[in-house]
Amino acid sequence: EDQVTQSPEALRLQEGESSSLNCSYTVSGLRGLFWYRQDPGKGPEFLFTLYSAGEEKEKERLKATLTKKESFLHITAPKPEDSATYLCAVQEGPTGGYQKVTFGTGTKLQVIP
Amino acid sequence: DAGVTQSPTHLIKTRGQQVTLRCSPKSGHDTVSWYQQALGQGPQFIFQYYEEEERQRGNFPDRFSGHQFPNYSSELNVNALLLGDSALYLCASSWDRDTEAFFGQGTRLTVV
C-alpha cells in the first residue's frame, strides 16, 4: 500500500538549533512531492514542490531536498515563528490520468525562545 | 489576490442533517480539490473538480458530493451527517492537476 510517513511526530528545538524533518514515501510513479506549513486551525500554506531526486529548494531558513525514497526539510537557525506543523504530500499517477495525492500526518515543530 | 476563500469558517450540525460548504478558488485557478482533516491527522483527499466535472475521487462514501460552477467556485455537500464527519474541511485550488495546490483556511464542521 502506498504510504507517506513523516518523522519525528513532534520536535522541540531551542531558537537557533538547526534540525531536519523527514518524509519517506513508498509510491510508484512520483509526480511531485510538496511541503506545507500548517498553523493551528488554519489551512496548509504551500512551501515547496520537488519533482525529481537530487532537487533542492530554499526559502529563508528552510531547505527541502529529495531522494528516490525520502525528502528532508532542513530548518537552519529556527525562530519561534517557525513553530507549526509541517506536512508532506506526494502526488503520483500517469500524465493525463488519475493522480493521487497522499498526505503524511505531519511533524509538529515547537521552537523555544 | 484574495487567495482561496471558504465559507462558513465554523459550523455546528446535528447528526442526520445535511451540510453545504463553499469555496472560491485563487484567481487564475481552474481546479478545486476538497480534503477532510481530522484532528492530528493529515488531510484526506475527497474529490477534485475540473471543468465542472468530478475528475477524481478518494475513498469517501456517496454521502459526499460536490459541484463546480462556471466561475470555478465549488461546493461540498455531505448528507446524513455522522459524528465521525466532524473535521476541518479544506478546499485547495490549482492550475490543472499538475501544479501545487493552495489551500483555504478551512471550515470547521462539528456534528453533535
Side-chain angles (χ1 to χ4, degrees), chain A residues 21-50:
Chain A
L21 282 55
N22 177 264
C23 171
S24 63
Y25 59 91
T26 55
V27 300
S28 57
L30 178 73
R31 295 195 60 80
L33 185 142
F34 309 101
W35 281 99
Y36 289 88
R37 167 195 171 126
Q38 187 173 28
D39 292 304
K42 296 190 177 182
E45 173 189 345
F46 171 75
L47 294 173
F48 303 109
T49 305
L50 301 168

PDB file of all heavy atoms in Angstrom, chain A residues 21-50:
ATOM      1  N   LEU A  21      13.535  17.569   9.268  1.00  0.00           N
ATOM      2  CA  LEU A  21      12.316  16.772   9.314  1.00  0.00           C
ATOM      3  C   LEU A  21      12.350  15.811   8.129  1.00  0.00           C
ATOM      4  O   LEU A  21      12.819  16.158   7.047  1.00  0.00           O
ATOM      5  CB  LEU A  21      11.081  17.667   9.193  1.00  0.00           C
ATOM      6  CG  LEU A  21      10.602  18.456  10.408  1.00  0.00           C
ATOM      7  CD1 LEU A  21      11.689  19.322  11.004  1.00  0.00           C
ATOM      8  CD2 LEU A  21       9.402  19.304  10.022  1.00  0.00           C
ATOM      9  N   ASN A  22      11.829  14.608   8.348  1.00  0.00           N
ATOM     10  CA  ASN A  22      11.905  13.579   7.320  1.00  0.00           C
ATOM     11  C   ASN A  22      10.531  13.198   6.781  1.00  0.00           C
ATOM     12  O   ASN A  22       9.543  13.156   7.529  1.00  0.00           O
ATOM     13  CB  ASN A  22      12.588  12.336   7.881  1.00  0.00           C
ATOM     14  CG  ASN A  22      12.637  11.202   6.869  1.00  0.00           C
ATOM     15  OD1 ASN A  22      11.794  10.308   6.864  1.00  0.00           O
ATOM     16  ND2 ASN A  22      13.615  11.250   5.984  1.00  0.00           N
ATOM     17  N   CYS A  23      10.460  12.947   5.477  1.00  0.00           N
ATOM     18  CA  CYS A  23       9.250  12.435   4.844  1.00  0.00           C
ATOM     19  C   CYS A  23       9.678  11.270   3.952  1.00  0.00           C
ATOM     20  O   CYS A  23      10.351  11.485   2.936  1.00  0.00           O
ATOM     21  CB  CYS A  23       8.576  13.523   4.012  1.00  0.00           C
ATOM     22  SG  CYS A  23       7.212  12.945   2.994  1.00  0.00           S
ATOM     23  N   SER A  24       9.307  10.066   4.315  1.00  0.00           N
ATOM     24  CA  SER A  24       9.640   8.905   3.485  1.00  0.00           C
ATOM     25  C   SER A  24       8.385   8.417   2.774  1.00  0.00           C
ATOM     26  O   SER A  24       7.280   8.513   3.315  1.00  0.00           O
ATOM     27  CB  SER A  24      10.249   7.788   4.334  1.00  0.00           C
ATOM     28  OG  SER A  24       9.318   7.332   5.290  1.00  0.00           O
ATOM     29  N   TYR A  25       8.539   7.940   1.549  1.00  0.00           N
ATOM     30  CA  TYR A  25       7.370   7.545   0.777  1.00  0.00           C
ATOM     31  C   TYR A  25       7.628   6.255   0.018  1.00  0.00           C
ATOM     32  O   TYR A  25       8.755   5.945  -0.363  1.00  0.00           O
ATOM     33  CB  TYR A  25       6.965   8.663  -0.190  1.00  0.00           C
ATOM     34  CG  TYR A  25       8.030   9.061  -1.183  1.00  0.00           C
ATOM     35  CD1 TYR A  25       8.111   8.465  -2.428  1.00  0.00           C
ATOM     36  CD2 TYR A  25       8.976  10.045  -0.859  1.00  0.00           C
ATOM     37  CE1 TYR A  25       9.087   8.836  -3.338  1.00  0.00           C
ATOM     38  CE2 TYR A  25       9.952  10.419  -1.757  1.00  0.00           C
ATOM     39  CZ  TYR A  25      10.004   9.810  -2.992  1.00  0.00           C
ATOM     40  OH  TYR A  25      10.984  10.176  -3.889  1.00  0.00           O
ATOM     41  N   THR A  26       6.561   5.518  -0.179  1.00  0.00           N
ATOM     42  CA  THR A  26       6.626   4.284  -0.962  1.00  0.00           C
ATOM     43  C   THR A  26       5.507   4.337  -1.980  1.00  0.00           C
ATOM     44  O   THR A  26       4.459   3.712  -1.813  1.00  0.00           O
ATOM     45  CB  THR A  26       6.483   3.039  -0.065  1.00  0.00           C
ATOM     46  OG1 THR A  26       5.270   3.157   0.702  1.00  0.00           O
ATOM     47  CG2 THR A  26       7.658   2.908   0.882  1.00  0.00           C
ATOM     48  N   VAL A  27       5.703   5.110  -3.023  1.00  0.00           N
ATOM     49  CA  VAL A  27       4.718   5.212  -4.095  1.00  0.00           C
ATOM     50  C   VAL A  27       5.419   4.939  -5.411  1.00  0.00           C
ATOM     51  O   VAL A  27       6.630   5.074  -5.532  1.00  0.00           O
ATOM     52  CB  VAL A  27       4.055   6.606  -4.136  1.00  0.00           C
ATOM     53  CG1 VAL A  27       3.340   6.901  -2.834  1.00  0.00           C
ATOM     54  CG2 VAL A  27       5.084   7.684  -4.445  1.00  0.00           C
ATOM     55  N   SER A  28       4.642   4.560  -6.401  1.00  0.00           N
ATOM     56  CA  SER A  28       5.197   4.368  -7.738  1.00  0.00           C
ATOM     57  C   SER A  28       4.764   5.545  -8.607  1.00  0.00           C
ATOM     58  O   SER A  28       3.696   6.106  -8.424  1.00  0.00           O
ATOM     59  CB  SER A  28       4.684   3.056  -8.327  1.00  0.00           C
ATOM     60  OG  SER A  28       3.275   3.046  -8.344  1.00  0.00           O
ATOM     61  N   GLY A  29       5.615   5.911  -9.529  1.00  0.00           N
ATOM     62  CA  GLY A  29       5.237   6.986 -10.440  1.00  0.00           C
ATOM     63  C   GLY A  29       5.114   8.338  -9.757  1.00  0.00           C
ATOM     64  O   GLY A  29       4.126   9.042  -9.956  1.00  0.00           O
ATOM     65  N   LEU A  30       6.118   8.721  -8.977  1.00  0.00           N
ATOM     66  CA  LEU A  30       6.072  10.006  -8.284  1.00  0.00           C
ATOM     67  C   LEU A  30       6.020  11.143  -9.298  1.00  0.00           C
ATOM     68  O   LEU A  30       6.847  11.238 -10.197  1.00  0.00           O
ATOM     69  CB  LEU A  30       7.309  10.168  -7.390  1.00  0.00           C
ATOM     70  CG  LEU A  30       7.404  11.505  -6.649  1.00  0.00           C
ATOM     71  CD1 LEU A  30       6.388  11.548  -5.516  1.00  0.00           C
ATOM     72  CD2 LEU A  30       8.810  11.735  -6.107  1.00  0.00           C
ATOM     73  N   ARG A  31       5.048  12.031  -9.119  1.00  0.00           N
ATOM     74  CA  ARG A  31       4.948  13.202  -9.992  1.00  0.00           C
ATOM     75  C   ARG A  31       5.404  14.465  -9.268  1.00  0.00           C
ATOM     76  O   ARG A  31       5.812  15.426  -9.908  1.00  0.00           O
ATOM     77  CB  ARG A  31       3.522  13.377 -10.479  1.00  0.00           C
ATOM     78  CG  ARG A  31       3.058  12.245 -11.357  1.00  0.00           C
ATOM     79  CD  ARG A  31       1.797  12.625 -12.105  1.00  0.00           C
ATOM     80  NE  ARG A  31       1.988  13.781 -12.967  1.00  0.00           N
ATOM     81  CZ  ARG A  31       2.559  13.738 -14.169  1.00  0.00           C
ATOM     82  NH1 ARG A  31       3.017  12.587 -14.636  1.00  0.00           N
ATOM     83  NH2 ARG A  31       2.682  14.817 -14.891  1.00  0.00           N
ATOM     84  N   GLY A  32       5.302  14.456  -7.956  1.00  0.00           N
ATOM     85  CA  GLY A  32       5.741  15.627  -7.217  1.00  0.00           C
ATOM     86  C   GLY A  32       5.624  15.384  -5.728  1.00  0.00           C
ATOM     87  O   GLY A  32       4.788  14.606  -5.287  1.00  0.00           O
ATOM     88  N   LEU A  33       6.477  16.055  -4.973  1.00  0.00           N
ATOM     89  CA  LEU A  33       6.408  15.999  -3.516  1.00  0.00           C
ATOM     90  C   LEU A  33       6.285  17.424  -3.020  1.00  0.00           C
ATOM     91  O   LEU A  33       7.046  18.309  -3.429  1.00  0.00           O
ATOM     92  CB  LEU A  33       7.653  15.315  -2.933  1.00  0.00           C
ATOM     93  CG  LEU A  33       7.621  15.096  -1.410  1.00  0.00           C
ATOM     94  CD1 LEU A  33       8.246  13.765  -1.035  1.00  0.00           C
ATOM     95  CD2 LEU A  33       8.281  16.237  -0.672  1.00  0.00           C
ATOM     96  N   PHE A  34       5.321  17.660  -2.155  1.00  0.00           N
ATOM     97  CA  PHE A  34       5.013  19.009  -1.688  1.00  0.00           C
ATOM     98  C   PHE A  34       5.250  19.107  -0.184  1.00  0.00           C
ATOM     99  O   PHE A  34       4.966  18.176   0.564  1.00  0.00           O
ATOM    100  CB  PHE A  34       3.545  19.344  -1.974  1.00  0.00           C
ATOM    101  CG  PHE A  34       3.124  19.087  -3.387  1.00  0.00           C
ATOM    102  CD1 PHE A  34       2.408  17.959  -3.724  1.00  0.00           C
ATOM    103  CD2 PHE A  34       3.442  19.985  -4.400  1.00  0.00           C
ATOM    104  CE1 PHE A  34       2.018  17.714  -5.026  1.00  0.00           C
ATOM    105  CE2 PHE A  34       3.060  19.743  -5.705  1.00  0.00           C
ATOM    106  CZ  PHE A  34       2.339  18.611  -6.018  1.00  0.00           C
ATOM    107  N   TRP A  35       5.749  20.263   0.226  1.00  0.00           N
ATOM    108  CA  TRP A  35       5.847  20.578   1.647  1.00  0.00           C
ATOM    109  C   TRP A  35       4.912  21.748   1.943  1.00  0.00           C
ATOM    110  O   TRP A  35       4.876  22.743   1.201  1.00  0.00           O
ATOM    111  CB  TRP A  35       7.277  20.957   2.033  1.00  0.00           C
ATOM    112  CG  TRP A  35       8.196  19.786   2.217  1.00  0.00           C
ATOM    113  CD1 TRP A  35       9.103  19.291   1.320  1.00  0.00           C
ATOM    114  CD2 TRP A  35       8.317  18.966   3.388  1.00  0.00           C
ATOM    115  NE1 TRP A  35       9.767  18.213   1.849  1.00  0.00           N
ATOM    116  CE2 TRP A  35       9.311  17.996   3.123  1.00  0.00           C
ATOM    117  CE3 TRP A  35       7.694  18.959   4.640  1.00  0.00           C
ATOM    118  CZ2 TRP A  35       9.695  17.030   4.061  1.00  0.00           C
ATOM    119  CZ3 TRP A  35       8.068  18.002   5.566  1.00  0.00           C
ATOM    120  CH2 TRP A  35       9.054  17.046   5.279  1.00  0.00           C
ATOM    121  N   TYR A  36       4.182  21.606   3.057  1.00  0.00           N
ATOM    122  CA  TYR A  36       3.278  22.647   3.508  1.00  0.00           C
ATOM    123  C   TYR A  36       3.558  22.921   4.984  1.00  0.00           C
ATOM    124  O   TYR A  36       3.975  22.043   5.734  1.00  0.00           O
ATOM    125  CB  TYR A  36       1.811  22.215   3.373  1.00  0.00           C
ATOM    126  CG  TYR A  36       1.289  22.132   1.965  1.00  0.00           C
ATOM    127  CD1 TYR A  36       1.428  20.961   1.217  1.00  0.00           C
ATOM    128  CD2 TYR A  36       0.633  23.209   1.385  1.00  0.00           C
ATOM    129  CE1 TYR A  36       0.922  20.873  -0.075  1.00  0.00           C
ATOM    130  CE2 TYR A  36       0.129  23.136   0.100  1.00  0.00           C
ATOM    131  CZ  TYR A  36       0.277  21.967  -0.622  1.00  0.00           C
ATOM    132  OH  TYR A  36      -0.220  21.888  -1.904  1.00  0.00           O
ATOM    133  N   ARG A  37       3.226  24.133   5.378  1.00  0.00           N
ATOM    134  CA  ARG A  37       3.249  24.518   6.790  1.00  0.00           C
ATOM    135  C   ARG A  37       1.804  24.753   7.205  1.00  0.00           C
ATOM    136  O   ARG A  37       1.033  25.384   6.475  1.00  0.00           O
ATOM    137  CB  ARG A  37       4.063  25.801   6.961  1.00  0.00           C
ATOM    138  CG  ARG A  37       3.900  26.457   8.319  1.00  0.00           C
ATOM    139  CD  ARG A  37       4.399  27.875   8.331  1.00  0.00           C
ATOM    140  NE  ARG A  37       4.011  28.509   9.595  1.00  0.00           N
ATOM    141  CZ  ARG A  37       4.869  29.099  10.419  1.00  0.00           C
ATOM    142  NH1 ARG A  37       6.153  29.172  10.114  1.00  0.00           N
ATOM    143  NH2 ARG A  37       4.445  29.643  11.543  1.00  0.00           N
ATOM    144  N   GLN A  38       1.417  24.261   8.391  1.00  0.00           N
ATOM    145  CA  GLN A  38       0.054  24.467   8.863  1.00  0.00           C
ATOM    146  C   GLN A  38       0.065  24.974  10.292  1.00  0.00           C
ATOM    147  O   GLN A  38       0.593  24.321  11.190  1.00  0.00           O
ATOM    148  CB  GLN A  38      -0.782  23.185   8.769  1.00  0.00           C
ATOM    149  CG  GLN A  38      -2.239  23.402   9.100  1.00  0.00           C
ATOM    150  CD  GLN A  38      -3.101  22.182   8.840  1.00  0.00           C
ATOM    151  OE1 GLN A  38      -2.643  21.058   8.904  1.00  0.00           O
ATOM    152  NE2 GLN A  38      -4.376  22.404   8.532  1.00  0.00           N
ATOM    153  N   ASP A  39      -0.548  26.138  10.501  1.00  0.00           N
ATOM    154  CA  ASP A  39      -0.729  26.690  11.841  1.00  0.00           C
ATOM    155  C   ASP A  39      -2.052  26.161  12.395  1.00  0.00           C
ATOM    156  O   ASP A  39      -2.970  25.832  11.638  1.00  0.00           O
ATOM    157  CB  ASP A  39      -0.714  28.209  11.783  1.00  0.00           C
ATOM    158  CG  ASP A  39       0.666  28.735  11.404  1.00  0.00           C
ATOM    159  OD1 ASP A  39       1.637  28.392  12.108  1.00  0.00           O
ATOM    160  OD2 ASP A  39       0.774  29.454  10.403  1.00  0.00           O
ATOM    161  N   PRO A  40      -2.168  26.106  13.727  1.00  0.00           N
ATOM    162  CA  PRO A  40      -3.378  25.528  14.337  1.00  0.00           C
ATOM    163  C   PRO A  40      -4.666  26.175  13.836  1.00  0.00           C
ATOM    164  O   PRO A  40      -4.783  27.400  13.809  1.00  0.00           O
ATOM    165  CB  PRO A  40      -3.166  25.792  15.832  1.00  0.00           C
ATOM    166  CG  PRO A  40      -1.688  25.840  15.992  1.00  0.00           C
ATOM    167  CD  PRO A  40      -1.176  26.494  14.739  1.00  0.00           C
ATOM    168  N   GLY A  41      -5.629  25.342  13.422  1.00  0.00           N
ATOM    169  CA  GLY A  41      -6.938  25.829  12.992  1.00  0.00           C
ATOM    170  C   GLY A  41      -6.951  26.502  11.637  1.00  0.00           C
ATOM    171  O   GLY A  41      -7.975  27.069  11.235  1.00  0.00           O
ATOM    172  N   LYS A  42      -5.841  26.439  10.896  1.00  0.00           N
ATOM    173  CA  LYS A  42      -5.772  27.090   9.585  1.00  0.00           C
ATOM    174  C   LYS A  42      -5.460  26.078   8.494  1.00  0.00           C
ATOM    175  O   LYS A  42      -5.070  24.946   8.764  1.00  0.00           O
ATOM    176  CB  LYS A  42      -4.712  28.193   9.606  1.00  0.00           C
ATOM    177  CG  LYS A  42      -5.034  29.325  10.571  1.00  0.00           C
ATOM    178  CD  LYS A  42      -4.089  30.491  10.387  1.00  0.00           C
ATOM    179  CE  LYS A  42      -4.477  31.648  11.306  1.00  0.00           C
ATOM    180  NZ  LYS A  42      -3.584  32.817  11.114  1.00  0.00           N
ATOM    181  N   GLY A  43      -5.640  26.505   7.256  1.00  0.00           N
ATOM    182  CA  GLY A  43      -5.315  25.646   6.140  1.00  0.00           C
ATOM    183  C   GLY A  43      -3.817  25.586   5.897  1.00  0.00           C
ATOM    184  O   GLY A  43      -3.082  26.492   6.292  1.00  0.00           O
ATOM    185  N   PRO A  44      -3.334  24.522   5.260  1.00  0.00           N
ATOM    186  CA  PRO A  44      -1.910  24.410   4.954  1.00  0.00           C
ATOM    187  C   PRO A  44      -1.437  25.530   4.027  1.00  0.00           C
ATOM    188  O   PRO A  44      -2.144  25.919   3.102  1.00  0.00           O
ATOM    189  CB  PRO A  44      -1.807  23.047   4.262  1.00  0.00           C
ATOM    190  CG  PRO A  44      -3.009  22.287   4.722  1.00  0.00           C
ATOM    191  CD  PRO A  44      -4.077  23.322   4.871  1.00  0.00           C
ATOM    192  N   GLU A  45      -0.213  26.003   4.283  1.00  0.00           N
ATOM    193  CA  GLU A  45       0.402  27.047   3.466  1.00  0.00           C
ATOM    194  C   GLU A  45       1.502  26.399   2.634  1.00  0.00           C
ATOM    195  O   GLU A  45       2.404  25.765   3.174  1.00  0.00           O
ATOM    196  CB  GLU A  45       0.980  28.132   4.366  1.00  0.00           C
ATOM    197  CG  GLU A  45       1.784  29.197   3.637  1.00  0.00           C
ATOM    198  CD  GLU A  45       2.516  30.123   4.604  1.00  0.00           C
ATOM    199  OE1 GLU A  45       2.179  30.127   5.795  1.00  0.00           O
ATOM    200  OE2 GLU A  45       3.447  30.824   4.158  1.00  0.00           O
ATOM    201  N   PHE A  46       1.430  26.579   1.319  1.00  0.00           N
ATOM    202  CA  PHE A  46       2.380  25.950   0.415  1.00  0.00           C
ATOM    203  C   PHE A  46       3.798  26.485   0.636  1.00  0.00           C
ATOM    204  O   PHE A  46       4.012  27.698   0.765  1.00  0.00           O
ATOM    205  CB  PHE A  46       1.966  26.200  -1.037  1.00  0.00           C
ATOM    206  CG  PHE A  46       2.999  25.775  -2.042  1.00  0.00           C
ATOM    207  CD1 PHE A  46       3.185  24.440  -2.330  1.00  0.00           C
ATOM    208  CD2 PHE A  46       3.794  26.716  -2.676  1.00  0.00           C
ATOM    209  CE1 PHE A  46       4.137  24.042  -3.243  1.00  0.00           C
ATOM    210  CE2 PHE A  46       4.755  26.332  -3.594  1.00  0.00           C
ATOM    211  CZ  PHE A  46       4.927  24.994  -3.875  1.00  0.00           C
ATOM    212  N   LEU A  47       4.770  25.556   0.683  1.00  0.00           N
ATOM    213  CA  LEU A  47       6.176  25.933   0.825  1.00  0.00           C
ATOM    214  C   LEU A  47       6.977  25.585  -0.427  1.00  0.00           C
ATOM    215  O   LEU A  47       7.583  26.449  -1.043  1.00  0.00           O
ATOM    216  CB  LEU A  47       6.794  25.226   2.038  1.00  0.00           C
ATOM    217  CG  LEU A  47       6.265  25.610   3.413  1.00  0.00           C
ATOM    218  CD1 LEU A  47       6.860  24.710   4.484  1.00  0.00           C
ATOM    219  CD2 LEU A  47       6.556  27.074   3.709  1.00  0.00           C
ATOM    220  N   PHE A  48       7.025  24.290  -0.775  1.00  0.00           N
ATOM    221  CA  PHE A  48       7.884  23.830  -1.871  1.00  0.00           C
ATOM    222  C   PHE A  48       7.223  22.709  -2.665  1.00  0.00           C
ATOM    223  O   PHE A  48       6.432  21.952  -2.119  1.00  0.00           O
ATOM    224  CB  PHE A  48       9.207  23.241  -1.329  1.00  0.00           C
ATOM    225  CG  PHE A  48      10.013  24.152  -0.466  1.00  0.00           C
ATOM    226  CD1 PHE A  48      10.112  23.923   0.892  1.00  0.00           C
ATOM    227  CD2 PHE A  48      10.691  25.228  -1.016  1.00  0.00           C
ATOM    228  CE1 PHE A  48      10.872  24.753   1.705  1.00  0.00           C
ATOM    229  CE2 PHE A  48      11.453  26.057  -0.219  1.00  0.00           C
ATOM    230  CZ  PHE A  48      11.542  25.826   1.148  1.00  0.00           C
ATOM    231  N   THR A  49       7.644  22.596  -3.935  1.00  0.00           N
ATOM    232  CA  THR A  49       7.386  21.413  -4.744  1.00  0.00           C
ATOM    233  C   THR A  49       8.722  20.874  -5.235  1.00  0.00           C
ATOM    234  O   THR A  49       9.567  21.639  -5.723  1.00  0.00           O
ATOM    235  CB  THR A  49       6.528  21.731  -5.980  1.00  0.00           C
ATOM    236  OG1 THR A  49       5.329  22.377  -5.577  1.00  0.00           O
ATOM    237  CG2 THR A  49       6.175  20.437  -6.710  1.00  0.00           C
ATOM    238  N   LEU A  50       8.922  19.559  -5.103  1.00  0.00           N
ATOM    239  CA  LEU A  50      10.112  18.888  -5.621  1.00  0.00           C
ATOM    240  C   LEU A  50       9.653  17.815  -6.598  1.00  0.00           C
ATOM    241  O   LEU A  50       8.688  17.097  -6.321  1.00  0.00           O
ATOM    242  CB  LEU A  50      10.914  18.258  -4.475  1.00  0.00           C
ATOM    243  CG  LEU A  50      11.390  19.227  -3.389  1.00  0.00           C
ATOM    244  CD1 LEU A  50      11.904  18.458  -2.186  1.00  0.00           C
ATOM    245  CD2 LEU A  50      12.481  20.138  -3.938  1.00  0.00           C
TER     246      LEU A  50
END
